């Protein structure tokens, strides 16, 4: 009950942030989505969503700075990676200039924990909605456990419009509005940035790389593993993977009536969002290296979300726990499942650190 209440409180907060859209705003959104669907259909991306995504250039220009943070009562020294994202929506794609006007979002960021000495496997930890700072990311993934106890090198990317990339007060706030073109570009840029960072790790000599995403990070990890075959493991934790259904289920009655009046229907939204939809992109990672965990009482990413991904991924290993979304870390069975997943994928040696 308590975990469900936490989920509901967080969902109410997010809904309040999204606000009630004006009718003129909805008409503009509908017009952009119609134009986007025509463009995507003309270029064959509705039938081949992977074709929407371009190959990003190598990440060769970057800066690194040594910093210190506190997490779970301990000091963590880390490296802050910065680079030009270089992501641009397609020429003539609706909402392109508006997206480029998010100036701080043009810079990519990641926080790195790397062991000295012998080479170690890398785990790319893709954060949830509202996160994106060292403190929140390190705590959310229990960085001390993954880095010190399991012996992994860790890279924590900052998703678009989050953390130091956010244009407003709340991390990720611009992604939760009804402006679906923003979400489209956000998911596309996340996939772009993640592929660049994975290739950067390979260029630095990394031989084994896994990806571990939480909630929104599970969404982006699922998209990423459909666009690259360089991952040795993908763990989708409490994944939200059907953006359209979540938006529809959480729509208030005022927005519904205005959306209907503007001619903005869910099929149009689903068609456009399909090019960045985990359930419409086929993973390049083999089923034995795909893993999912989810909560039976989750109100933010309901169990149907994880079941859909599980079926789409060919029924890989999945762990169900009797809890909610926000407080998933309270569940003692999750760590053993994550560790087992990492061991089965070769990132961690059974019975000891890598």
């Amino acid at each position: 009950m308590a975990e469900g209440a936490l989920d509901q409180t967080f969902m109410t907060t997010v809904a309040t942030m999204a606000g009630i859209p004006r009718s003129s705003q909805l008409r503009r959104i509908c017009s952009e989505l119609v134009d986007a669907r025509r463009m995507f259909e003309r270029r064959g991306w509705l039938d081949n969503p992977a074709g929407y995504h371009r190959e990003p250039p190598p990440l060769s220009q970057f800066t690194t700075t040594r910093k210190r943070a506190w997490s779970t009562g301990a000091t963590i020294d880390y490296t802050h990676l910065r680079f030009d994202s270089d992501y641009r929506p397609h020429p003539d794609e609706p909402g392109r200039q508006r997206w480029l006007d998010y100036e701080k979002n043009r810079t990519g960021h990641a926080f790195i924990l790397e062991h000295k000495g012998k080479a170690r496997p890398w785990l790319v930890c893709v954060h949830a909605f509202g996160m994106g700072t060292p403190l929140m990311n390190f705590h959310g993934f229990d960085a001390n456990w993954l880095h010190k106890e399991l012996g992994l090198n860790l890279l924590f990317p900052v998703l678009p419009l989050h953390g130091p990339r956010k244009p407003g007060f709340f991390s990720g706030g611009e992604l939760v509005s009804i402006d679906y073109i923003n979400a489209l570009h956000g998911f596309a840029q996340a996939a772009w940035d993640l592929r660049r960072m994975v290739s950067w790790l390979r260029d630095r000599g990394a031989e084994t790389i896994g990806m571990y995403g939480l909630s929104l990070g599970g969404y982006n990890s699922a998209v990423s593993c459909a666009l690259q075959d360089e991952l040795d493991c993908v763990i989708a934790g409490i994944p939200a993977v059907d953006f359209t259904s979540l938006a529809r289920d959480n729509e208030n009655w005022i927005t519904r009536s205005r959306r209907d009046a503007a001619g903005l229907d869910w099929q149009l939204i689903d068609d456009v969002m399909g090019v960045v939809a985990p359930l419409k992109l086929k993973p390049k990672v083999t089923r034995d290296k795909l893993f999912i965990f989810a909560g039976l009482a989750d109100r933010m990413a309901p169990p149907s979300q994880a079941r859909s991904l599980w079926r789409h991924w060919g029924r890989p290993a999945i762990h169900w726990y009797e809890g909610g979304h926000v407080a998933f870390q309270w569940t003692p069975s999750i760590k053993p499942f994550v560790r087992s997943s990492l061991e089965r994928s070769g990132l961690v040696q059974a019975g000891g650190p890598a």
Side-chain angles (χ1 to χ4, degrees):
M1 292 292 292
E3 292 191 35
L6 277 175
D7 287 358
Q8 190 62 52
T9 299
F10 189 86
M11 290 169 62
T12 301
T13 301
V14 171
T16 301
M17 288 169 45
I20 304 297
R22 299 184 303 275
S23 297
S24 59
Q25 180 186 10
L26 287 168
R27 288 192 294 271
R28 188 265 299 167
I29 291 169
C30 184
S31 176
E32 288 184 345
L33 287 168
V34 168
D35 290 344
R37 183 168 61 181
R38 288 171 179 164
M39 178 182 185
F40 295 177
E41 183 175 22
R42 187 169 61 249
R43 300 191 181 186
W45 296 336
L46 297 184
D47 296 324
N48 176 31
Y52 171 82
H53 300 269
R54 295 153 293 174
E55 189 69 25
L59 203 172
S60 57
Q61 301 293 323
F62 56 89
T63 63
T64 57
T65 308
R66 292 293 294 168
K67 294 187 177 181
R68 175 170 292 180
W70 290 86
S71 179
T72 58
T75 300
I76 297 181
D77 293 313
Y78 67 97
T79 299
H80 188 164
L81 171 72
R82 293 182 179 85
F83 59 94
D84 287 337
S85 170
D86 288 335
Y87 170 79
R88 301 286 187 276
H90 293 273
D92 300 324
E93 189 173 358
R96 184 179 195 270
Q97 189 55 53
R98 185 173 64 251
W99 187 258
L100 295 178
D101 286 341
Y102 291 124
E103 186 174 352
K104 290 197 292 186
N105 188 55
R106 300 176 195 168
T107 301
H109 297 259
F111 315 122
I112 298 172
L113 302 179
E114 184 174 9
H115 290 279
K116 303 296 182 182
K118 74 169 186 176
R120 305 286 188 107
W122 283 85
L123 188 63
V124 179
C125 300
V126 190
H127 66 77
F129 171 77
M131 297 171 64
T133 64
L135 177 62
M136 296 188 74
N137 288 10
F138 295 162
H139 177 73
F141 286 92
D142 198 343
N144 277 316
W145 176 64
L146 292 171
H147 183 60
K148 294 182 178 179
E149 294 189 37
L150 299 190
L152 294 166
N153 290 331
L154 305 177
L155 185 144
F156 297 84
V158 177
L159 292 174
L161 301 184
H162 283 76
R165 310 177 72 169
K166 70 180 188 294
F169 176 76
F170 194 87
S171 182
E174 285 70 22
L175 287 178
V176 299
S177 73
I178 198 172
D179 211 329
Y180 299 107
I181 292 293
N182 263 12
L184 168 72
H185 295 323
F187 295 148
Q189 184 170 21
W192 171 280
D193 289 345
L194 287 173
R195 283 181 291 162
R196 293 193 76 197
M197 284 183 264
V198 168
S199 66
W200 179 73
L201 291 176
R202 291 290 186 199
D203 291 341
R204 296 178 74 243
E207 295 182 359
T208 307
I209 303 175
M211 188 171 287
Y212 175 15
L214 292 174
S215 191
L216 176 65
Y219 186 112
N220 289 301
S221 297
V223 172
S224 184
C225 77
L227 301 174
Q228 58 182 327
D229 54 11
E230 297 180 313
L231 297 172
D232 299 284
C233 167
V234 177
I235 304 172
I238 48 174
V241 293
D242 188 339
F243 180 83
T244 308
S245 71
L246 287 174
R248 182 174 58 243
D249 291 345
N250 289 285
E251 183 180 48
N252 60 66
W253 69 271
I254 300 177
T255 300
R256 183 183 308 116
S257 62
R258 292 182 179 179
R259 176 182 52 76
D260 290 342
L264 182 56
D265 67 83
W266 288 111
Q267 187 59 57
L268 170 62
I269 296 166
D270 195 55
D271 286 348
V272 174
M273 295 302 296
V275 297
V276 290
L279 302 181
K280 296 184 180 181
L281 290 160
K282 183 178 179 180
K284 292 187 176 182
V285 178
T286 57
R287 184 172 64 90
D288 60 310
K289 294 185 177 181
L290 297 171
F291 306 89
I292 303 169
F293 68 81
L296 292 169
D298 195 329
R299 295 187 184 181
M300 292 185 62
S304 59
Q305 296 276 316
R307 288 195 194 98
S308 295
L309 183 64
W310 176 70
R311 288 191 291 266
H312 181 66
W313 275 0
R315 294 172 167 77
I318 187 169
H319 172 69
W320 292 100
Y321 65 92
E322 296 183 1
H325 193 91
V326 175
F328 78 95
Q329 285 184 311
W330 295 353
T331 304
S333 63
I334 290 178
K335 273 190 177 181
F337 177 77
V338 171
R339 176 166 189 150
S340 173
S341 303
L342 296 170
E343 289 177 352
R344 292 169 62 179
S345 304
L347 271 77
V348 171
Q349 294 178 1

